[in-house]
Amino acid sequence: MPPTDPADKRHASTGPAVPRPAGRSAAAAARVGAGEPPSGESPAARAGTPTRHDRRSTRTAQAATRLPAPRHRPEALHPGAWWLWALALGTAATRTTNPLLLALLIAVSAYVVVSRRSHAPWSRSYGAFVKLALAVILIRLLFTTVLGSPIPGTHTLVTLPEVPLPDWAQGIRLGGRVTAEGLTFALYDAMKLATLLICVGAANALANPSRLLKSLPGALYEMGVAVVVALTFAPNLIADVQRLRAARRLRGRPDKGVRGLLQVGLPVLEGALERSVALAAAMDARGYGRTAQVSAPVRRTTAALTLGGLLGVCAGTYGLLTAAGGTYGVPVLLAGVAAALAGLWLGGRRTVRTRYRPDRWDARAWLVSASGAAVAALLFLAAARYPAALRPGVVPLVAPGLPLWPAAAVLIGLLPAFVAPAPHRVSVPAPAPAPAPAPAPAKESS
């Protein structure tokens, strides 16, 4: 019977017919007959070019390892609540120089950040703010050591050689006696500023800046964009440094020291400039700075309400702070706030934009912001009633004590760690086990 397959016809014409192996196509049988190796690989696979099967396997592996899209958006907390909570903690830090209370405020903010921050790039900025706070403390102590301190003291730690200065530099001292009282006062003062910086860092690590921008009134949109761009500068810079250092480590090059810092700093600066140019182009393409047409009476009314409201807020605040202005302070302050809000509402008509899936201010946002406000209010009250406990003296030098109920008030700031929604934990699937190597073929005995 003549062969019907074309390949079989070709083999029938050139030589003896080759029996077709089981499970192999006619083309594969033809390749075997032509002397090609009996493997299931195509010529493209043998040449190193990925085949369709390889591409399908690669896509399947990438889909298995791809991070799932965040779907916790409806459950996320309003970013304004995080900022109110953090700023309230920072306000509470300004009312005390007790190092124990300040350390407790830092611990509270750190616990909330660790338990509730996400895996977003801006969440990594908390460590940078902690390092900045430590740098502030060291610089403050260094200046006190070199330039001296106005705080008198009797406990001399070291006496540095004093540099004589000309007459026009009277009041400035270089070197001289370094006392324990002066260093302690500088440490307390620097810890207050460091705590304030760490609280701001907590807000940066917890609140999404782009979502915060969406929540601003329309009249403050342009100013909010500038603030958000400034706030996201540090996280992007840190991410660039980490990426470049990892790349240098993979290439076997040093990533530490002065040389590594210089070789990493230049690409980071170049990347920051390129990102700035791309951001400017994107903002221009999306119509940043373009406003809608508003009639002249509306513009004049907006300006009058805004300026009048700000003046009313200033006059009302001044009235509350003076003894003679207690009667008119509150009404003027409320009228100023109302006028300023009306001006912002009218000013928002110049900005035509839409909001996609706006964040809601729910009960959890109220609880988070109220916990920070409670800490600030209670420390204000404690500073008025127990000034010696919240501002321990350094002359004579005594060990600071921990006031109980102000410390308990600070612990109220832990409430967001329990009421705020937990961040979406990204689970990366474990890699599939490598296939076992095929057993080596047994050698034929001669």
Side-chain angles (χ1 to χ4, degrees), residues 50-65:
T51 61
R52 181 181 302 175
H53 176 72
D54 296 337
R55 290 194 294 270
R56 188 183 300 112
S57 302
T58 303
R59 286 196 297 269
T60 305
Q62 290 176 352
T65 58

Side-chain angles (χ1 to χ4, degrees), residues 91-165:
T91 304
T94 61
R95 309 311 303 170
T96 179
T97 56
N98 191 321
L100 300 179
L101 286 178
L102 293 175
L104 192 59
L105 280 170
I106 295 174
V108 166
S109 68
Y111 181 79
V112 175
V113 168
V114 170
S115 60
R116 286 298 179 266
R117 70 175 173 180
S118 63
H119 297 277
W122 62 81
S123 302
R124 306 170 189 168
S125 61
Y126 185 73
F129 277 92
V130 172
K131 294 177 182 176
L132 179 62
L134 292 176
V136 166
I137 294 176
L138 292 178
I139 291 173
R140 184 72 170 85
L141 293 178
L142 180 63
F143 278 15
T144 302
T145 302
V146 176
L147 302 178
S149 173
I151 302 299
T154 57
H155 297 79
T156 303
L157 298 179
V158 64
T159 302
L160 299 177
E162 189 168 356
V163 179
L165 297 177

